[in-house]
Amino acid sequence: MNAREGGTKARRSRGGGTKARRSRGGGTKARRSRGSGGMLGLAVATVRARPVSFAGSFAALCLGVAILTMSALILLAGDAGVPGRYAGAPVLVRSAQGSGPDGVFLERAPWSARQTRELTRALSAVPGVRRAVPDRSFYAQAVVDGEPVGRQRKGDRLGHGWSSAALAPYRLTAGRAPQQPGEVALGRGLGARPGERITLLTAAGPARFTVSGTVDGPGYYLTDERAAALSGGVRVIGLLTEEGADPGEVAAAARSAVRGAGQVLDGAARGELAPARDAKTRWIGSQVLTAMAVLSGFATVFVVASTFAFGVTGGRRELGLLRTIGATGRQLRRLLYGQALAVGAAGAGAGALLGAALAPALGAVLTDAGFLPPGVTVHRPPWVLAAAFAAGLAVALTAVWSASRRAARTGPLEALREAASDDRPMTRARALTGIAFTALGCAAAAATAFADPTDMTGLALVTAVGLITGVTLLVPAVVPPLVRAVTRPLARRSGALGMLVREGTLAAVRRTASTTAPVLATVGFVVLITGNTQTSVHSYADRDTASVRARAAVVARDGTPGLSDAAARSVPGTGPLATTVYAGAARTPWEAAGVEPARFAEVHPRLRTVSGSLARLDGPGTMAVTRSALASLRGRTAVEVTFEDGRTEKLRIVAVLADGTAPAPYTALLPRDTVRSHDPTALTDVVYRTGPAPSPAALRRLGAEEVGVAAYAGRADAEEDRLVEVFTLLLVGMSAGCTGLAVANTLLMATADRLRDLRLLRLSGATTRQVLGTVAAETTFVVALGSVLGALTALPSLLGIRAGLSGSLGVPVRLVVPLAPVTVAVAGCLVLALAASVLPARAALAKGTRLG
């Protein structure tokens, strides 16, 4: 029994030992916990002790998150609100007949006269409705002293029936409402008084009216009968409610009354009646903001990744010392992630606040530039700032991933290394990744040559990102042979200075690659963005010039949206009468033109038919369409078409035009008389003169002027070209700004990292001027190398764009790369690089202090 008891006690004692071991295990966990917290504290202390090394990452994150925050806030900004001329109608009903696909911004199909009468009658009977008012609009512009006044854009229709004034509501300030067909009430801002005679320019031509009164708002108001004759179909019916009526209840009853024939809008939803061009402007602005956000995100990751990668390279001895005292690879990764977290939290927080503060100012700039419609209101919901902050942290942690893996591979013996040479600047993983990205960029460049013009911009961006990333990763493999090839003759001629530049560059390949990369990205982006936009702009102008055979072009003067029939008839030549038609049961909007087939074909020699003949476009019921439009109709030879007056007819397709040969942007051609009979407010875009020149004074009275064909080709897209130019400047400034930070920060870190070498040169007998000359020469060489590689990186994308445009437009396309912005980019990189390398080196040599 005693023996068994003793054995039991012994086993219990061993159990106690097990508990002790478990307790020690708990102590191990505690030490691990303290170790994790210690690494985070060490990371924060490292950032505080070496602010120079992390200044570029902080600035890049701050700028990137600020751009992301501004872009998100503006994209989520409120609309301009209810258009002024509908603000007095609590409930509005608009046509629900068809809408364009994404990227097409045209008005919906109007109601016909019969539909308008039936809907007006039904809506007038809705409880709470005092009056249902069809809004009839048409082109009208006053002529004063022989010239049209006011600035109207294409699509502006300031002429209305008198009843439409109540929808604003606009009230008389003098005189009375128009009662006779020859009377008009107009805005008092024109200075006309009741009883005076005034000329109005309409789609038919100039007409004389008597001013019956003035109103407290813009526009020209004729009798409803005269307005109906000058306008097409009706798209909006406004409901004026009785006093005390609930707009929500009226809207609900109106939905039952229209039975799907219209869309009922009340409250803030009435803002959807803003002009279609405002929606297009907003869409363009969203593309700009999205591109800014994408490029800033890429540039931010690029800057932070390069900064941390260079920091790991320059801090190998410090990391080796940590390994010597027992730090594991996992702990070194935690150290890097802790540094990224500290820098990311500070940079992302500052960027979110900066973006929130600057978003209204950027919104105003984009509005003035034409990328946003007037009246857009920027709000600052907290969740957007929180999301931008989180995105900044994610970018910082993602960018440091590669550097942390390299830090984990640092061995203890790295602390004993004194030389700064790179024995393995290019790892297998880096080489394979660089080859993959380069292949992706080359594939995208090749695809650009066969892509649709609408897809070329996206493919160009993929090409740029792929090639810049790939070549940046492969730079360590490219630098040694390039340096040897370029510096060998320089070293012979420059003596000791050339030898120092050559050997210093070759001894620290990774440092050279890290300082070359941001210059490569800066110049590459500038060459790509400016070359892409300028090549595209010039290619379309060249196509339009080559596709016309005429002596000159007669166009509307600045401030006049188009040519009236009177102006078009005064010119010996022909031109398209622009309109919109709505095809098929879905009433898909097409931009169309009324033409005189024989004369039109004579002026446009590149016009080519795939089937049928344009000569058969000779009467009502006929139409010619492009090949892509026919494909959307699934090969039908006849289609129902709704016109601008709301009437629907079945038209025979008598000719199919080859894509790219018909004048842009027209999808369909109709006889000119057919368009005029269905669209009383249509205007002619341009008349190509083939006979004697008319009197300039006569053209001026009609709101027209004559220009050269080439000048018109450039002027036709002048507004879009202006937007493209502003867009280019925004992208260039943003991308160059982000990568410029990388140039300055990387050179500053590189200079701080090599101060010991520079002091050794001084101790070896070199003067301060010679040392600084060496630094300046190396910096200049790095900037030159990065600039050449950046330009070469952008070249495949530009060649792909040129080939694609040449194939789609059918004309030779010039490759246009503007020298001014590229020169500014290279000079800016050089100035930043010299300032970030020479000045710190000079200060350190003078004071004997160590940076970083």
Side-chain angles (χ1 to χ4, degrees), residues 52-61 63 296 298-308 310 472 511-523 525 734-751 779 782-783 828-829 832-834 836-837:
V52 172
S53 300
F54 299 97
S57 296
F58 171 84
L61 273 172
L63 180 59
S296 67
F298 173 76
T300 302
V301 172
F302 182 89
V303 172
V304 178
S306 62
T307 298
F308 275 95
F310 189 75
T472 298
R511 184 186 69 202
T512 304
S514 297
T515 51
T516 301
V519 180
L520 183 155
T522 302
V523 176
F525 272 125
M734 186 273 303
S735 59
C738 290
T739 51
L741 288 174
V743 172
N745 187 66
T746 306
L747 265 296
L748 189 62
M749 291 174 62
T751 304
T779 301
V782 166
V783 171
C829 287
L832 281 175
L834 289 175
S837 58

Side-chain angles (χ1 to χ4, degrees), residues 107 129 162 253 269 295 490 536 599 808:
E107 300 286 353
V129 173
W162 171 248
L295 274 181
L490 294 177
S536 299
R599 300 173 70 184
S808 62

Side-chain angles (χ1 to χ4, degrees), residues 808-850:
S808 62
L809 300 180
V811 295
V813 173
R814 296 172 291 156
L815 185 60
V816 181
V817 179
L819 293 179
V822 177
T823 303
V824 170
V826 174
C829 287
L830 182 60
V831 171
L832 281 175
L834 289 175
S837 58
V838 175
L839 295 181
R842 182 176 181 275
L845 290 175
K847 297 180 180 180
T849 59
R850 181 170 184 173

Side-chain angles (χ1 to χ4, degrees), residues 505-814:
T505 304
L506 290 174
V509 174
R510 193 181 294 278
R511 184 186 69 202
T512 304
S514 297
T515 51
T516 301
V519 180
L520 183 155
T522 302
V523 176
F525 272 125
V526 171
V527 173
L528 174 76
I529 294 172
T530 57
N532 180 6
T533 54
Q534 291 302 311
T535 299
S536 299
V537 166
H538 284 80
S539 67
Y540 286 107
D542 291 344
R543 178 203 62 181
D544 293 341
T545 303
S547 62
V548 172
R549 184 182 296 158
R551 297 183 181 181
V554 175
V555 297
R557 299 191 66 192
D558 190 24
T560 305
L563 298 175
S564 65
D565 286 350
R569 286 194 301 267
S570 68
V571 181
T574 187
L577 183 63
T579 189
T580 304
V581 298
Y582 305 85
R587 291 182 170 86
T588 304
W590 287 350
E591 291 190 74
V595 300
E596 300 162 307
R599 300 173 70 184
F600 191 78
E602 181 182 348
V603 169
H604 295 86
R606 292 184 62 249
L607 193 64
R608 186 166 54 86
T609 58
V610 176
S611 63
S613 172
L614 204 60
R616 297 168 59 189
L617 191 69
D618 58 356
T622 60
M623 177 174 64
V625 299
T626 61
R627 182 183 233 168
S628 56
L630 182 68
S632 68
L633 298 175
R634 299 181 180 178
R636 292 198 299 269
T637 58
V639 61
E640 287 192 346
V641 172
T642 301
F643 292 93
E644 275 293 308
D645 59 358
R647 289 186 287 172
T648 299
E649 295 182 5
K650 195 165 189 177
L651 303 183
R652 288 183 301 109
I653 299 175
V654 298
V656 178
L657 308 174
D659 289 334
T661 63
Y666 305 120
T667 299
L669 300 179
L670 301 97
R672 186 181 182 91
D673 291 341
T674 299
V675 171
R676 177 52 75 204
S677 65
H678 286 285
D679 189 357
T681 195
L683 297 171
T684 301
D685 287 336
V686 58
V687 175
Y688 292 107
R689 180 173 66 82
T690 56
S695 164
L699 290 177
R700 190 165 50 249
R701 286 193 296 271
L702 296 171
E705 63 181 352
E706 184 174 288
V707 297
V709 173
Y712 170 69
R715 175 176 171 175
D717 297 323
E719 178 60 18
E720 290 189 11
D721 293 349
R722 185 189 66 81
L723 293 178
V724 168
E725 187 173 339
V726 176
F727 180 35
T728 302
L729 292 176
L730 286 174
L731 291 186
V732 167
M734 186 273 303
S735 59
C738 290
T739 51
L741 288 174
V743 172
N745 187 66
T746 306
L747 265 296
L748 189 62
M749 291 174 62
T751 304
D753 186 59
R754 61 181 304 202
L755 285 179
R756 185 179 180 184
D757 298 337
L758 300 181
R759 291 196 183 97
L760 285 176
L761 283 177
R762 286 283 290 118
L763 293 175
S764 301
T767 64
T768 300
R769 177 176 296 180
Q770 289 173 325
V771 173
L772 296 181
T774 302
V775 173
E778 285 188 18
T779 301
T780 303
F781 176 76
V782 166
V783 171
L785 181 63
S787 299
V788 172
L789 290 177
L792 293 177
T793 300
L795 187 60
S797 178
L798 296 179
L799 292 176
I801 290 170
R802 185 182 70 171
L805 289 173
S806 180
S808 62
L809 300 180
V811 295
V813 173
R814 296 172 291 156

